[in-house]
Amino acid sequence: MQVIETLAIPHGDAPLGEEQQQQAINAIENGKVIFLPQLTFKLTALEQRFLSPNYVDPKAKNISFDIHSHTLCGVQGSPNDKQQLQAMMKRFAIQARQLVEHLFPHYQTALEQARTSFRPVQVSDRKTSYRKDDKRLHVDAFPATPNQGKRILRVFSNINPQGEDRVWRVGEPFENVAKRFLPQISNPPPGSAKLLKLLKITKSYRTHYDHIMLQIHDRMKADETYQQQAQQCEVRFPPNTTWIVQTDQVSHAAMSGQYLLEQTFYLPVTAMQDPQRSPLRILEKLTSRSLI
Ligand code: SIN
Ligand code: FE
């Protein structure tokens, strides 16, 4: 199984030809990782100091930035540090948006820009509960932020200054994952989605789709046999490269690496070239019911 689609594009702001755009949209909707080996994100001389775990709040694993409200979370440092970190992350957020708009002009009007994150902590040293352990194969689903069927599209750039790769495992296609775990998943207790919203545990209504995706996420991570025996391959992303993945669809695990920038986008299923390939439509087909 080929999981990587390599595209030779040197700049995120250069318009692509029709053929490359088709290649990109087909690859992303088929659940591949789009790998852009020439695309680097450059730090200024002053920003080099942020390549240290010292600026992240020890209670958080990432520094995150919201381009809409201009807020930075999970950071520690002087007001000057915070202002420069914010400028760096905003630059990445803007470049990631331009990149995605050039690669997928089809998505442009529907794309919602969500959080930007900077991940300065060594992945292999991180100790967490199994649910939060991204070293286990999983598809992304967020407990507090139901995405109600929307796609999760993420742009990653490895900015490691010491030559260290970001090492992932990539697992089996989404439909196989869903077929394996769906039989274990029961309905949520009646009224629980309303209650979660009322208690502000979720930011919006947790649809049946969100319930299933969260259950798949948790059950994949909890299943030791699955972690070891599921079809998978190692993928290494060297420093100064960029890659794009729909992490709700692609089973993935981050095994090691330090210093990563990441931008999340949400995309309504109806904006896809072929909505039938979305986790929402695949789960609806397998369960024979509407899930949002
Ligand atoms: C993840 O999305 O599971 C982690 C990706 C990474 O930090 O490399
Ligand atoms: Fe993930």
Side-chain angles (χ1 to χ4, degrees):
M1 184 191 55
Q2 190 209 339
V3 297
I4 304 287
E5 185 87 9
T6 302
L7 281 182
I9 58 167
H11 310 288
D13 53 1
L16 300 188
E18 184 70 30
E19 202 174 307
Q20 264 185 325
Q21 285 172 7
Q22 256 321 310
Q23 188 187 353
I25 200 164
N26 273 331
I28 202 88
E29 293 195 358
N30 280 332
K32 288 189 184 171
V33 175
I34 295 189
F35 179 48
L36 308 158
Q38 293 162 284
L39 210 65
T40 61
F41 180 75
K42 295 240 175 340
L43 268 53
T44 64
L46 274 176
E47 288 166 354
Q48 299 290 330
R49 72 183 191 283
F50 298 132
L51 297 170
S52 142
N54 297 341
Y55 295 89
V56 65
D57 177 343
K59 290 190 291 294
K61 61 176 182 180
N62 304 323
I63 297 172
S64 72
F65 171 65
D66 178 359
I67 197 165
H68 306 293
S69 62
H70 275 94
T71 45
L72 206 58
C73 292
V75 65
Q76 59 181 15
S78 68
N80 189 37
D81 292 335
K82 288 180 186 169
Q83 195 218 328
Q84 285 178 21
L85 254 172
Q86 181 161 325
M88 175 181 100
M89 293 181 70
K90 184 174 175 184
R91 208 168 69 246
F92 179 75
I94 291 170
Q95 287 185 17
R97 171 114 205 173
Q98 281 173 348
L99 170 67
V100 165
E101 288 184 353
H102 279 116
L103 277 178
F104 315 112
H106 195 80
Y107 294 165
Q108 200 163 329
T109 50
L111 210 57
E112 292 170 26
Q113 190 153 8
R115 288 298 165 118
T116 315
S117 73
F118 173 44
R119 308 180 178 191
V121 179
Q122 172 56 249
V123 170
S124 58
D125 294 344
R126 225 160 48 200
K127 302 263 178 298
T128 49
S129 65
Y130 82 86
R131 264 204 194 88
K132 289 192 178 154
D133 187 359
D134 291 338
K135 296 193 290 302
R136 291 164 182 264
L137 285 169
H138 64 284
V139 289
D140 284 352
F142 309 129
T145 322
N147 56 323
Q148 304 176 330
K150 283 182 192 157
R151 308 302 317 275
I152 304 172
L153 188 149
R154 294 184 134 171
V155 177
F156 299 91
S157 281
N158 183 355
I159 55 168
N160 187 286
Q162 288 124 9
E164 189 181 348
D165 294 348
R166 193 90 179 173
V167 183
W168 278 24
R169 290 185 286 149
V170 173
E172 61 184 341
F174 182 81
E175 186 151 349
N176 299 17
V177 174
K179 282 181 177 154
R180 160 126 188 176
F181 290 97
L182 267 178
Q184 304 174 17
I185 299 171
S186 47
N187 289 338
S192 62
K194 280 207 181 83
L195 196 64
L196 290 169
K197 172 85 183 19
L198 202 69
L199 298 174
K200 297 197 165 57
I201 295 171
T202 55
K203 294 194 183 104
S204 59
Y205 190 78
R206 185 183 285 175
T207 63
H208 204 76
Y209 169 79
D210 294 295
H211 168 75
I212 292 177
M213 290 299 284
L214 268 177
Q215 287 284 318
I216 292 179
H217 168 275
D218 290 357
R219 284 165 194 268
M220 286 175 84
K221 283 185 171 175
D223 188 335
E224 206 50 67
T225 312
Y226 183 76
Q227 290 296 322
Q228 287 169 20
Q229 293 175 3
Q231 175 197 323
Q232 55 191 282
C233 61
E234 184 184 91
V235 180
R236 305 183 77 94
F237 303 103
N240 304 317
T241 65
T242 296
W243 60 104
I244 308 175
V245 196
Q246 290 199 318
T247 53
D248 53 348
Q249 173 177 12
V250 177
S251 162
H252 62 285
M255 306 312 291
S256 65
Q258 190 172 10
Y259 307 119
L260 181 79
L261 280 163
E262 173 270 334
Q263 173 64 56
T264 301
F265 296 93
Y266 295 126
L267 183 78
V269 161
T270 47
M272 291 173 65
Q273 181 173 262
D274 179 8
Q276 295 310 318
R277 291 184 283 188
S278 62
L280 173 65
R281 297 290 179 243
I282 290 172
L283 290 172
E284 287 185 333
K285 182 183 75 182
L286 295 174
T287 56
S288 311
R289 57 173 288 193
S290 158
L291 295 174
I292 55 169

